[in-house]
Amino acid sequence: MSKQHAGVILRVYPGSLAEELELVPGDKIIAINEQELNDIIDLSFAMADEEIDMLIEHADGQQEMISFDKDFDEELGVEFESAVFDGIRNCANHCYFCFVDMIAPHMRSSLSIKDDDYRLSFLYGNFVTMTNMGPRDFKRIEQYHLSPLYVSVQCMNPELRAQMLRCKGAAKIAEQLDNLEKAGCDYHTQVVLCAGLNDGPELERTIRDIVARRPHALSMAIVPVGLTKYRDDPFPLRQFDAEGAARVIDEVEKWQAKIRQEEGRTFIYLGDEFYLLAGREVPKTDFYDGFPQLDNGIGLTRSFLNDWEKTEEVTDSYSEPVYLDVVTGTSVAPVLQQLADSVQKENLYIRIVPVKNDHFGHTVNVSGLLTAKDIMKTLDSLPGPRTGILIPESALRSGEDIFLDDVSLEEFQAHYPEARIEPVQGGKDFRLALTGWNAYHKDRQNETAYTWQSNAGYTKNIQY
Ligand code: SF4
């Protein structure tokens, strides 16, 4: 066998086939039925056989061949350290708007991975530019039916795309989308909109081209560029202001109405930030057609409001005063304030606490990029009693109790001994926490990432 890659087992599920085979965390799966494994996609297809010879390397370096029979759809029941055994494929670009390049120094290393890996796109919905993909990749996509993918289009003008991504090959976007289509792959698309660059007539062109690619093109998201104070790229970029956001909404609405008339769905969705920035109400649920790009943050506000609506409030009364501070990014604070105002309960005092992002700069206004230090700075400036602090779960690392700046939830809690700290993820949590604080507790133990679930399915549970 040439170059050996291996799937390193992180966790073995109780009662699983893996447990029966006595596999343990740290074991590496090197090959199945003599087939090399580059990722969990290879592994899942190899495991579709009923007779398996599995080559394992134990933590002490000893190799062992385990042979067993299984039902073709029987799951192995393990979680791997990474879904891609041969390493994450990095990007070949230097985009004007790259957020990884704008991350503050000394942030944790997982934030600075410039991945552009079509396998992670299929498995977890990460967006890829396809500038590092060749014929072998498209063949594999076809062979394994890896569909849909998520493609960062940015614009369909070849020269402008090559310029924005600082990659000559980026000009071939139309050809690469053709390749996907020939491989039988459908795709969701995204445009990171930069004011004065790929908006206006360029956006018109991009929309026209992508719309013409239906039904292979499944959806189109348009999100405004985000800039942090650490950006030192020489190319000047501008963010949208309220007026610019309103203009984009008006321009895109024409297309949305046209497509809704043609096929009864919206197809093009704007990032929530456009509506929040323009001070307009986010669209209704029907408009989002089942929220195809929710993992990309599209429709998160409406989904939050829906979850709130669907959740019955806790009717128990508060016998003692309860003072709750709700930590949030500045953009969504008015929405949370409205919901909090609708809660009428004796002895309940809610304070919405919008936190300015000093760490990344005040133009960064989402809850998910708040650091513990900024949150503490804001809270410490607010006097008054405090029973509990609700923090956005998105500000914590997926499945871990650690903020972006490596401050642990425990350290944060120690700073506020008088208050109980609880993460809140969506509208359901928010309503339960406000109306039933004494019983509310968020259990985060079961969250995982990179789980291979079955021969034909994958869990997609990474948080953004
Ligand atoms: S594709 Fe562009 S935005 Fe994405 S990681 Fe690479 S340089 Fe950054």
Side-chain angles (χ1 to χ4, degrees), residues 90-101 113-116 127-129 131 152 154 164-165:
N90 292 332
C91 87
N93 317 313
H94 300 279
C95 303
Y96 287 169
F97 47 82
C98 180
F99 202 78
V100 180
D101 288 340
I113 297 172
K114 284 187 160 192
D115 80 87
D116 201 12
F127 279 88
V128 287
T129 63
T131 54
S152 271
Q154 321 312 10
M164 287 179 74
L165 273 61

Side-chain angles (χ1 to χ4, degrees), residues 113-174:
I113 297 172
K114 284 187 160 192
D115 80 87
D116 201 12
D117 194 320
Y118 73 91
R119 299 167 302 175
L120 299 183
S121 183
F122 170 66
L123 293 169
Y124 303 119
N126 294 9
F127 279 88
V128 287
T129 63
M130 301 200 295
T131 54
N132 60 5
M133 287 172 64
R136 265 182 32 194
D137 301 316
F138 292 105
K139 212 171 147 207
R140 193 163 183 252
I141 286 168
E142 184 171 12
Q143 186 191 355
Y144 285 161
H145 308 294
L146 305 183
S147 175
L149 293 194
Y150 293 76
V151 181
S152 271
V153 169
Q154 321 312 10
C155 63
M156 288 299 286
N157 173 343
E159 291 81 31
L160 180 61
R161 190 169 190 264
Q163 182 199 332
M164 287 179 74
L165 273 61
R166 290 200 181 92
C167 175
K168 255 194 193 163
K172 291 189 196 155
I173 179 65

Side-chain angles (χ1 to χ4, degrees), residues 179-252:
N179 288 337
L180 275 190
E181 292 172 15
K182 279 185 219 139
C185 177
D186 296 338
Y187 48 87
H188 295 274
T189 61
Q190 174 181 261
V191 169
V192 176
L193 205 62
C194 306
L197 194 61
N198 58 341
D199 59 348
E202 289 295 345
L203 180 62
E204 279 285 313
R205 173 178 177 172
T206 306
I207 291 177
R208 203 177 335 107
D209 286 8
I210 297 297
V211 164
R213 287 179 176 273
R214 291 169 297 163
H216 286 294
L218 300 171
S219 71
M220 181 174 183
I222 304 171
V223 297
V225 67
L227 304 177
T228 82
K229 68 180 186 188
Y230 294 101
R231 181 174 189 267
D232 60 3
D233 192 294
F235 189 89
L237 279 185
R238 263 195 306 120
Q239 284 185 282
F240 286 93
D241 55 15
E243 207 179 300
R247 206 166 33 242
V248 172
I249 296 171
D250 293 341
E251 281 166 12
V252 172

Side-chain angles (χ1 to χ4, degrees), residues 243-312:
E243 207 179 300
R247 206 166 33 242
V248 172
I249 296 171
D250 293 341
E251 281 166 12
V252 172
E253 260 174 6
K254 288 181 221 146
W255 281 99
Q256 290 166 330
K258 181 173 178 291
I259 299 167
R260 281 207 81 86
Q261 204 170 28
E262 276 172 28
E263 55 169 297
R265 64 177 175 140
T266 308
F267 184 77
I268 307 168
Y269 312 96
L270 287 170
D272 295 13
E273 301 93 319
F274 281 114
Y275 301 101
L276 297 171
L277 204 57
R280 296 198 192 172
E281 199 188 328
V282 292
K284 302 282 183 229
T285 306
D286 287 357
F287 178 93
Y288 287 106
D289 310 314
F291 297 93
Q293 294 216 28
L294 192 63
D295 286 342
N296 189 22
I298 307 292
L300 218 49
T301 312
R302 177 53 64 197
S303 162
F304 189 99
L305 292 168
N306 288 348
D307 287 348
W308 168 279
E309 282 295 321
K310 276 190 270 172
T311 307
E312 286 201 23

